[in-house]
Amino acid sequence: MGLKAVMAVTGIVLVLFLVAHMVGNLKVFAGQSSFDHYAHWLREIGAPVLPGVWFLWILRAGLLVAVLAHIAAATTLALRARAARPVRYAHRKKVQGSYAARTMRWGGVIILLFVIYHILDLTTGTLNPVGDPTRPYANVVADFAPSRWYVTLFYTLAVVSVGFHLRHGVFSALRSLGQQTPNGERRARVIALAFAVVLCAGYLSVPFAVLTGLVD
C-alpha cells in the first residue's frame, strides 16, 4: 500500500503541474506582451523573500523528486508483480490490457528524454535558436518554427505519450476510488479519455499554432 500511495500522491502532483503549465502555455495566444509578462512573473514569485528565480528552482527540484519517486514506485511494483508469477503457463489465457497500459514503459522513456530536451531548450536556452531568458515568447516561436518541424514532431510524440499515461493513470485512480461496476468503469474510461484529450490538445495547440503561422 505504501508504494501505491507514493504513486497516487506523486501522480496527483504531476497532473496538477501539467494542468497549470498548460494554462500558462496558452497565454501565448494572448500575444507577446501578455506571455512575456506571465513568464517574467513566474521568475519573480516569492520575492523579496526568495531572491531571483529561487521559487522556480525549488519547484523544479520538487517536480524532479516527484518524477523519480513515481518512476521508482512504478518500477518496484512492476518487478514485484512479475516476481509473483515467475512461471508462464503454456495454455494461459492472454491478459487483455489497454494499449496505454502495455506502452507505459516506452512512453515513460520518451517522456523522460523529452523532459531533458525541454529543459535544455526552453529552460536553460542551450538548444534554443534564440535562447534569451528575457524573450520567452521569441524563444517559443523560434523553437517551433516550420524549419524545425522535427522539434514539433518530437514534442507531439512526447505529449501523446503523456496522454496515454494520463488516460491509464486517471482510469486506474477512478477504479481505485470505487468505479468498479460495469457502468462505473465505462464512466471512468470516458472521464480518463476526455481529460487526456483536453490536456493533449491544450499542449499541442501552441507548437501547431506556431508551425502554421497563427502565432508568430
Side-chain angles (χ1 to χ4, degrees):
M1 290 298 292
L3 288 175
K4 290 185 177 180
V6 171
M7 285 280 290
V9 172
T10 55
I12 291 172
V13 169
L14 294 173
V15 167
L16 291 176
F17 168 75
L18 286 172
V19 173
H21 191 44
M22 180 194 71
V23 173
N25 286 354
L26 293 177
K27 289 184 177 291
V28 75
F29 292 103
Q32 179 174 347
S33 60
S34 178
F35 186 78
D36 284 350
H37 179 270
Y38 164 73
H40 293 314
W41 171 75
L42 287 177
R43 300 171 69 87
E44 297 170 357
I45 295 178
V49 177
L50 297 176
V53 293
W54 276 35
F55 172 80
L56 283 180
W57 283 110
I58 292 172
L59 177 63
R60 290 162 184 161
L63 289 172
L64 178 60
V65 170
V67 168
L68 294 177
H70 196 76
I71 293 173
T75 302
T76 302
L77 288 172
L79 291 175
R80 286 183 181 178
R82 179 179 299 179
R85 50 176 188 275
V87 179
R88 295 186 178 182
Y89 297 97
H91 301 290
R92 183 180 178 183
K93 184 177 179 181
K94 183 179 180 180
V95 177
Q96 297 297 324
S98 68
Y99 181 79
R102 295 196 304 270
T103 58
M104 289 291 275
R105 180 184 302 173
W106 291 111
V109 172
I110 293 172
I111 294 170
L112 179 60
L113 292 175
F114 173 74
V115 168
I116 295 172
Y117 175 83
H118 196 56
I119 291 173
L120 293 174
D121 180 18
L122 293 175
T123 300
T124 66
T126 305
L127 301 178
N128 189 273
V130 175
D132 186 348
T134 66
R135 302 169 59 200
Y137 184 91
N139 292 336
V140 172
V141 172
D143 196 33
F144 300 114
S147 60
R148 287 166 56 86
W149 58 269
Y150 48 89
V151 173
T152 300
L153 179 62
F154 184 35
Y155 187 92
T156 301
L157 182 61
V159 168
V160 171
S161 297
V162 170
F164 278 119
H165 264 65
L166 284 174
R167 177 174 173 268
H168 179 70
V170 171
F171 172 70
S172 298
L174 291 175
R175 287 190 76 252
S176 298
L177 292 174
Q179 298 295 328
Q180 297 180 11
T181 64
N183 286 336
E185 287 202 359
R186 282 194 289 270
R187 285 194 297 269
R189 290 185 188 280
V190 171
I191 293 172
L193 178 61
F195 182 76
V197 168
V198 169
L199 202 76
C200 286
Y203 272 100
L204 292 179
S205 64
V206 174
F208 280 96
V210 175
L211 185 66
T212 59
L214 182 62
V215 170
D216 56 22

